[in-house]
Amino acid sequence: WWGWLADRVGRRPVLLVGLCGSAAAPFLLGFSTTMPMAYTARALDGFFCGNIGVTKSYLGEIVEPENEAFGFSVLAVCYSVGLIIGPTLGGYLADPAQTWPALQGTVLDTYPYLLPNAAYGSCAWVALALGTFCLPESMPPSARRRNRLGKRSAGEYSLRRNTQFVISACMYWLLTTYYTAYQQDF
């Protein structure tokens, strides 16, 4: 669904909407007091995390064909680093009132999973800020029009700018750290 939408309205808006949802969902989970509320927060995040495929499409459009293998391997490294940092951070920050007695009686004592989820949500907010202020659209309006008419346009356009690649790789790293840590706490 996200890929279809990205073909019609552009990669950037879909990435930003997905990041908004992924930035809000961990705070909902952190403040959850019942299992249905926690499941709802996770389902909401699951709905919005479909933009990882759009991120890969964006990458395929901004790198030159001879550098595609390198670009996608950088994303794999970002994902691997996220797999290491995310669960470690999530486990360390979970139930902080037990770890740090000075936090007993605070909101973090009432909501023991708020701190790790706030950390993950903050990663998503940073990625959202990067995307909002630094990430240009990779799909020109003419290609979106062709997609609306049902014609394929994949591979017809490429902006080939390294700053776009660095920004998208940073966003991907932040999100994979967030997603893997999120799974650790849930």
Side-chain angles (χ1 to χ4, degrees):
W1 187 82
W2 288 108
W4 174 85
L5 187 62
D7 285 344
R8 272 122 190 106
V9 300
R11 309 287 187 236
R12 185 176 186 270
V14 170
L15 286 171
L16 296 179
V17 167
L19 283 169
C20 274
S22 292
F27 289 97
L28 294 174
L29 181 61
F31 283 112
S32 294
T33 55
T34 64
M35 286 305 288
M37 192 173 168
Y39 285 134
T40 301
R42 281 296 284 150
L44 181 68
D45 190 51
F47 175 75
F48 284 107
C49 72
N51 61 8
I52 289 178
V54 178
T55 302
K56 290 180 180 182
S57 295
Y58 185 92
L59 176 66
E61 294 168 357
I62 64 169
V63 298
E64 297 194 15
E66 59 271 10
N67 294 326
E68 255 183 25
F70 175 74
F72 282 101
S73 66
V74 169
L75 287 188
V77 169
C78 291
Y79 185 78
S80 298
V81 171
L83 281 174
I84 294 167
I85 294 173
T88 304
L89 182 65
Y92 182 71
L93 296 178
D95 205 3
Q98 294 290 32
T99 307
W100 302 291
L103 296 176
Q104 290 178 349
T106 66
V107 69
L108 296 176
D109 194 19
T110 307
Y111 303 101
Y113 299 104
L114 177 60
L115 185 59
N117 283 291
Y120 314 147
S122 298
C123 285
W125 283 112
V126 169
L128 179 63
L130 273 172
T132 301
F133 297 113
C134 303
L135 195 69
E137 175 60 59
S138 68
M139 182 183 235
S142 60
R144 284 182 251 154
R145 260 191 308 282
R146 282 192 296 270
N147 280 342
R148 275 190 230 115
L149 296 173
K151 297 178 183 173
R152 279 189 79 105
S153 60
E156 292 178 9
Y157 40 85
S158 178
L159 292 180
R160 299 181 177 110
R161 288 175 44 193
N162 286 337
T163 55
Q164 290 176 305
F165 172 71
V166 171
I167 291 167
S168 63
C170 288
M171 289 171 59
Y172 190 78
W173 174 76
L174 286 167
L175 285 175
T176 55
T177 300
Y178 154 74
Y179 290 136
T180 57
Y182 202 49
Q183 292 169 359
Q184 176 70 21
D185 281 347
F186 189 69

